[in-house]
Amino acid sequence: MTTQCTACHQTMACNPDGCWCMTLPAILPLNEGTGCYCRDCLLTKIHTYLDALAAKPIAEQLAIASPYKQAPLQEGLDYHIEDGLMVLGRWYHLRRGACCGNGCRHCPYS
């Protein structure tokens, strides 16, 4: 079915039985009746949530991330491409579960 993003009103295809949004982690608090979001707006909401989560103890952050440890990487959430290189994001490092000791830019453990 065709619908509009609740935030930016972009027209998008939505399939409640197997939508693209199901590939992203279901970490946002459920809010009935808000409608669907396009990928960019949903990623923005997830990043806002993760930024707020950073103020919580690391054990709480890890508890949220650990169920997604084996999930496929998602561009824009786990990593972004910068000058042709993959830059791992904060969510990736939380999913990993521990610091690798390489001084990563988005390491949540330091």
Side-chain angles (χ1 to χ4, degrees), residues 22-67:
M22 299 299 183
T23 64
L24 295 174
I27 60 172
L28 292 176
L30 291 177
N31 192 359
E32 299 261 343
T34 58
C36 294
Y37 294 94
C38 68
R39 182 173 173 78
D40 290 341
C41 291
L42 184 54
L43 284 172
T44 297
K45 288 185 71 66
I46 290 172
H47 281 292
T48 300
Y49 177 76
L50 292 174
D51 289 347
L53 188 65
K56 305 235 182 227
I58 193 69
E60 192 172 329
Q61 297 175 56
L62 290 171
I64 290 170
S66 66

Side-chain angles (χ1 to χ4, degrees), residues 27 46-47 49-70 77-78 88-100 104 106-110:
I27 60 172
I46 290 172
H47 281 292
Y49 177 76
L50 292 174
D51 289 347
L53 188 65
K56 305 235 182 227
I58 193 69
E60 192 172 329
Q61 297 175 56
L62 290 171
I64 290 170
S66 66
Y68 303 99
K69 190 170 189 159
Q70 300 302 319
L77 183 58
D78 292 297
L88 299 172
R90 187 172 199 290
W91 177 246
Y92 170 82
H93 292 291
L94 284 172
R95 283 182 30 188
R96 189 171 188 275
C99 179
C100 64
C104 300
H106 301 291
C107 181
Y109 304 103
S110 54

